[in-house]
Amino acid sequence: MSRAPWLDGELEYRSFGTPGAPRAVLVLRTGDVSTIDPDVRITSGFDVRIVAVGLDAPELEDPPAFGGHTPAGLTVDALRTLLEREALGTTVGVVGERSAGPIAIHLAAAMGDVVDRLAIVGVESPSDPLSRDEHAPLLDGVSAETLIIVGGSGPADAIDAEWYRGRLPSARVEEIHPDDLDTINGHVTLSAVWGSVLAHVAPGAERR
């Protein structure tokens, strides 16, 4: 486990995969498994370096105000600095699961062409009209090809996916049927769809 400065605390992250690989993938999640490889068997089949960052509630606050001095805006700045240190000169894919999804989107917008692929998994759309009005303009700045995955019995559904798809310049949706999810609670999780996600955010990196 490594740590990077953030405000008066630190971001926790772990790197795994192939050191020095020409492509890096930044994975943003919350919870106890946030810095653990989503599926070692799948990751080992790709020539890619993974930087997995664990986020918590304070680091996700006020994401629509990206660009200001909100915790979420400052977290995006810290993640940019982390990538410059850990993956300088590489092409980057960014992944956001559930509540970390908005930060992943904002980071992709902030980094421009450096981030060419984005995937969000089980991410709900903004819950009220004001949040939607504040959030929507940020999506226009995302140039990355985006994969949106929803499904199962989780809170994010096809309506959430279509909200994002209609506002991101280059996006497609995968909706997973509950019967196709190998999970205990039937929720779509990054681990359950890691193969599809990694193939999207690390194109051409699969080992032959």
Side-chain angles (χ1 to χ4, degrees):
M1 182 76 70
S2 301
R3 299 178 186 274
W6 178 84
L7 294 180
D8 56 355
E10 294 175 309
L11 289 174
E12 292 188 347
Y13 71 97
R14 177 178 283 119
S15 297
F16 46 88
T18 308
R23 173 170 285 273
V25 172
L26 181 71
V27 176
L28 305 177
R29 292 195 287 174
T30 61
D32 295 338
V33 300
S34 58
T35 59
I36 296 175
D37 192 329
D39 191 323
V40 176
R41 297 167 299 176
I42 292 172
T43 303
S44 64
F46 285 76
D47 182 23
V48 66
R49 182 179 185 187
I50 313 291
V51 180
V53 180
L55 301 175
D56 56 29
E59 291 151 358
L60 302 173
E61 289 179 2
D62 301 325
F66 164 72
H69 294 288
T70 66
L74 295 170
T75 297
V76 169
D77 290 341
L79 291 169
R80 292 181 70 175
T81 301
L82 175 62
L83 278 176
E84 289 169 359
R85 186 176 72 195
E86 295 291 322
L88 184 64
T90 64
T91 307
V92 179
V94 174
V95 179
E97 181 192 49
R98 299 188 182 183
S99 59
I103 293 288
I105 293 169
H106 298 164
L107 180 64
M111 297 194 69
D113 292 340
V114 173
V115 175
D116 68 342
R117 295 294 178 111
L118 170 67
I120 55 174
V121 178
V123 178
E124 296 180 80
S125 59
S127 58
D128 60 82
L130 178 60
S131 294
R132 290 176 182 176
D133 288 343
E134 292 178 330
H135 194 86
L138 300 172
L139 306 183
D140 294 336
V142 177
S143 59
E145 293 186 35
T146 305
L147 173 63
I148 303 161
I149 299 183
V150 296
S153 55
D157 58 19
I159 294 175
D160 297 291
E162 286 302 316
W163 189 88
Y164 282 108
R165 188 192 64 78
R167 290 162 177 81
L168 287 162
S170 179
R172 63 183 177 89
V173 173
E174 285 188 16
E175 186 173 4
I176 311 298
H177 191 278
D179 292 345
D180 296 328
L181 286 171
D182 184 19
T183 63
I184 295 174
N185 57 16
H187 289 190
V188 63
T189 64
L190 184 57
S191 294
V193 295
W194 183 230
S196 296
V197 168
L198 194 51
H200 173 76
V201 295
E206 191 167 2
R207 299 184 191 279
R208 302 298 180 184

